[in-house]
Amino acid sequence: MVCAGVLQMVVLAFLASALRAKENHLVIAPQSPVLEIGTTFTATCMIINTDEVTADDLYWTISKTTVPKEQYTKINKSAVNVTILITDETVQWLFCMCENKSPSVTLNGGQFIHGIFLTKGYRPGKPENLSCIAVQEQKQISRAVRCEWKSVGRQTSEVPTTYTVFANVGSTETFNATTQDNHTVVPLNLFPHHMTMEFWVEAHNKLGTIESDHLKNDANCFIKTKPPSDVEVLAEKDFPTSLLIRWKLPIAVEYAKLTYEIRFCAHGSHNWTYVPRTDMSNDITSFRLQNLQPYTVYVIQMRSRPLGLTEWCGYWSDWSVNTTKGTPEDRPKSKPDLWTVTGDSTNGRRVLFICKDPVLANGRILKLTYNLTIEDHKFKNQSWESLPVNRSETDSCSNQREITVIREIQLSYKQSVRLDVIASNSVGKSPVASLIMPPKANAHDPVKELKVWSHGDQLWLDWKPPSRADVSEYVVEWVRGEQLDWQRESGSTTSTAIKGNLEKFVCYNVSVYPIYSRRIGKPASVEAFLEQGAPLEGPNVKLVGKPGRNNAKLTWTVIPLDRRRGFITNYTIFYTSGTETHNITVPGNITSYTLTSLSSNTKYDVCIKASTVRGSANGFNHSFTTLKYATGEIELIVVGVSLGFLFVVVMTMLLCVYKKDMIKKNFWPQIPNPGESTIGNWSPDYPLKAETPKENYLSGISVLDVDVCDEKSLFEEDKASHPLRKDKYLSEEHSSGIGGSSCMSSPRQSVSDNDEGGDMADTTASTVQYSSVVASSGYKGQTPSSQSQQAVFARSESTQPLLDSEENPDMLVPEGSRQLARFPRQPCFTHAAENKDHTNPAEFKQLEMEQLEALDFCPLEEDSEQTIPTDEQSSNWLPTAPSSSYMPQLGGYRPQ
């Protein structure tokens, strides 16, 4: 450090004397330094030729940024140091400036500033992996040696690294070449065969120099020859499993001794087989390949490599061009690959036997000979049949074995079948392949827990063996639509990969069949994809039937396998009404769904999205409109209204039945039956059989006990007491009895017929007289008089209809309220009554009729009793009416 400081002071003194002529008062040392990135750099600024400023007035800037004072070091009053860290590759200027504000410094600012340019870079790294090679040109090795190495470290454009390659031959002669790349060619005067050569590379720049490791070896270890020439392959008929290879040396033995390498593979395959180096001798020109497959085309290549002083070294030549040759035919060494395709039919099973050529066919298969044996305990067929097979030369040599259909048969479920097949070529026959299909009920158990997954470009399978341990082999079958293929695995295998050519986005039905001593067991099947993708189309949706009021049942089609491209994980149902959209997600194994909680009389657009693990696709839209009324709702309303109407009708009818009397009273008043009237059999002297009169017939009337012959005197007396009713009684005298002849047999004349005053006419015009003759033996429990039985003439004069009193017996006037005026009477025909008991019925009947005829001329007796109803009673009992109708029960007329 002391020496460095002294050196800097010397440099500064020199610069000061050099700049004195320019009158610059600041100077920096060192000038234009080359700095290593990642290190620190120290610069010194010195004041010269002036006393106006001191070291305290100086400061440093880099890239227009002031360097902090903490990085300064004051040497004396006229010099100051700064230390900075070089961190990046950016080109920068470092300035030393003055802070003094005196007029002289301000006016001469250019003399108080000085800067240096910082050049940055990296030290060169040690080159690695040096290699040098001399290639063959025509018959000799080229004298130009090409060397390559790996550059280590970084470079900058301001501090580049230069590489120099040195080649030393026999320690007597050295050659070199310089470059800034990582490779170069070192020219030699002549390539020194059988001599020692040494190579190394030197890297150097402004920051340093470094050498690589030295590469020293025999000169032939640095050469690369051409591959063997004129390679020829020969096939021998007697040796179907071998090929003879011949070639020529690429370079003379005087220059270099060579060793060789041979590789071969079947045509179309890229799996090369290398001949071990231990089987190859040095300096040979022929070799025999053995253990090859008969009737197989092989591709053969060779290359060479020089030998050093002690062992092989140097570089392998390029591979020779392909040489193709096929081995001769041989007898088939393996069995035909026999298999079957089974399907159900109406009569049992449909069995199709197929087979592939033997794996070791060793030639072109010309025919298949098979024996089909069907066993059902009744019939056996053991005849051998031949099936010609047409194979082209290309098909026989290809790795894809053709499938041959042998025969198709119909088999019942209880039958078993056995097929034996032999394949033949031009040399001989193959071993017999046998396959037995047992009855369906006797098929053995399948494998357990079959799993299929995709890994890389293959489908892998894994399973557990069935419970039975006598499995001889397994058949792995994969089906794509109508295409089928299979492969066989040993009985000890529980995991394998499908070796066929599988396609992406295609669904394969993979099955594993256990084989029990040539008997086919039950299969276990799984669907799988080599690689899944998004569906190419969505499902088509439609309605099932008609939509309801609040629901609609949807169904959709399953996407075809060739368009599905993966397993459907779920379906998403989108249905939109207006601007409102709903969605429902259902599992992928469902193809129908019922939408609920829909609005009535609303149009919906439905779309279904099918999704796989890799994407989804939407189907087409389908529109429908919900019903305004639900199915059966209108019928329910009609039925409800009908039942309601029927209920009203039934209730009305029941009401009419239970309230018929009230309805009859209000709408159809009861009319008395003339047939039940007793007035028709009435006779003054021969009353009817004593019976209790009905209360509603006589309530509220007065009863007169009179003699029939006294009627006239009674009427006259009544007329005298009631002059206003004179005409009335005159009318009564001419009125005939309702039930038969009487003293009042002539028709009555209404008061209105008289010529008296208008008031009288208005009062009596609507009056109707009622009269009846009843027995005087007592009425409604009354005690009859001690006198002999006499006829009772009852009369009533009222303005009320007779029906009110008849149909409402509880409205009658009580018995005790009736006013009766009793008058003594004597019978008119006493002799008839006295002789009644002594007369026979016929004579009595005749006598009664005669008395009735004479009744019209019989006057009322004065001593007869008569009950006369009062005016009040008459008005309450019988209402008035504008006209009269015949009332047989009471012997009068009813108003209408």
Side-chain angles (χ1 to χ4, degrees), residues 33 186 239 324 415 488 869:
V186 180
F239 302 96
T324 304
Q415 290 179 317
R488 295 182 180 272

Side-chain angles (χ1 to χ4, degrees), residues 795-809:
R795 184 182 61 185
S796 173
E797 187 174 290
S798 176
T799 61
Q800 299 296 324
L802 180 61
L803 188 59
D804 289 345
S805 61
E806 290 177 339
E807 295 181 355
N808 299 278

